[in-house]
Amino acid sequence: MINILTNHSAELFSGLGQTLLCSLIALFFSLVIGSLFAIMEVLPSRLARTIGRIYVEVVRNIPLLVVTMFFYIVIPRYVPAVNGFTAGTIGLTIYTSAFIAETVRAGIQSVSGGQMEAARSNGMTFSQAMRYIVLPQAFKIVIPPLGNQFINLVKNSSVLAFVAGFDLMYVGNDIASTTFDTINSYLVVGVLYLIITMPLSYYMRYLEKRTNRGVA
């Protein structure tokens, strides 16, 4: 492991940087998109609920690699600027957003319906009640499953290796194929993934305890 780190540190940390960048971008946009579709699933409009449900069910039941390859092979025929990193990040964002949508929807529906009714009776619009009353409580409830989704997102970013995204896994494959030291190459890659995911896991636990402080 030491030899791999010493001789290929530049490539490894470059791949680590790509993995972090992809994960951060996908995390932000998947949270935004997933929350929007979660809200659509609980709107009074039947059409909005149907669109939200179709999106979630379709995307959740297609493998991540298939979604990514669609943006890597099909979309570049019409948008040449889409490279491996972009295709992988978009695919990861869309795939993860469907799971986040289900998580957030469950959180919204776990909030007592009487709170929405009380907010509306006090003159709030549906969007205001959702923004100021329901969503803050929903996100507080779903912190643990959201944390799991974020950790899965980081691990799933390894899909970039299949589309020349130059991420950590791609670099690990390259090093393993050139040095023929597959065991140590993948051990190093695994340790670097742990360096990302372990602090995230502990932070989500800390955030859960902090937000639930004082709650029976």
Side-chain angles (χ1 to χ4, degrees), residues 9-48:
S9 58
E11 301 99 304
L12 286 167
F13 285 108
S14 174
L16 181 63
Q18 289 289 89
T19 293
L20 284 171
L21 180 60
C22 168
S23 299
L24 289 172
I25 294 172
L27 190 154
F28 174 78
F29 285 105
S30 63
L31 181 60
V32 172
I33 296 171
S35 298
L36 289 175
F37 276 100
I39 293 171
M40 288 179 66
E41 289 188 273
V42 298
L43 284 174
S45 169
R46 183 176 180 180
L47 176 61

Side-chain angles (χ1 to χ4, degrees), residues 2-84:
I2 300 299
N3 289 334
I4 296 294
L5 281 170
T6 302
N7 298 328
H8 302 278
S9 58
E11 301 99 304
L12 286 167
F13 285 108
S14 174
L16 181 63
Q18 289 289 89
T19 293
L20 284 171
L21 180 60
C22 168
S23 299
L24 289 172
I25 294 172
L27 190 154
F28 174 78
F29 285 105
S30 63
L31 181 60
V32 172
I33 296 171
S35 298
L36 289 175
F37 276 100
I39 293 171
M40 288 179 66
E41 289 188 273
V42 298
L43 284 174
S45 169
R46 183 176 180 180
L47 176 61
R49 293 198 307 270
T50 301
I51 293 173
R53 174 51 52 186
I54 290 174
Y55 175 85
V56 170
E57 290 301 324
V58 169
V59 175
R60 280 201 314 163
N61 289 287
I62 298 177
L64 171 58
L65 185 57
V66 174
V67 178
T68 302
M69 294 303 289
F70 174 81
F71 286 98
Y72 184 61
I73 295 176
V74 178
I75 296 301
R77 295 183 178 182
Y78 309 98
V79 186
V82 176
N83 55 25

Side-chain angles (χ1 to χ4, degrees), residues 117-131:
E117 294 174 6
R120 296 298 300 274
S121 66
N122 283 317
M124 283 188 173
T125 64
F126 181 88
S127 60
Q128 288 174 330
M130 186 64 68
R131 177 180 177 184

Side-chain angles (χ1 to χ4, degrees), residues 103-159:
T103 302
V104 175
R105 179 193 60 79
I108 292 173
Q109 292 183 331
S110 67
V111 177
S112 172
Q115 298 195 39
M116 172 63 78
E117 294 174 6
R120 296 298 300 274
S121 66
N122 283 317
M124 283 188 173
T125 64
F126 181 88
S127 60
Q128 288 174 330
M130 186 64 68
R131 177 180 177 184
Y132 296 111
I133 306 297
V134 178
L135 283 180
Q137 297 180 74
F139 278 110
K140 184 177 180 180
I141 293 168
V142 300
I143 284 177
L146 274 183
N148 292 334
Q149 292 300 334
F150 294 159
I151 292 170
N152 287 335
L153 184 152
V154 174
K155 294 186 292 185
N156 286 339
S157 67
S158 59
V159 74

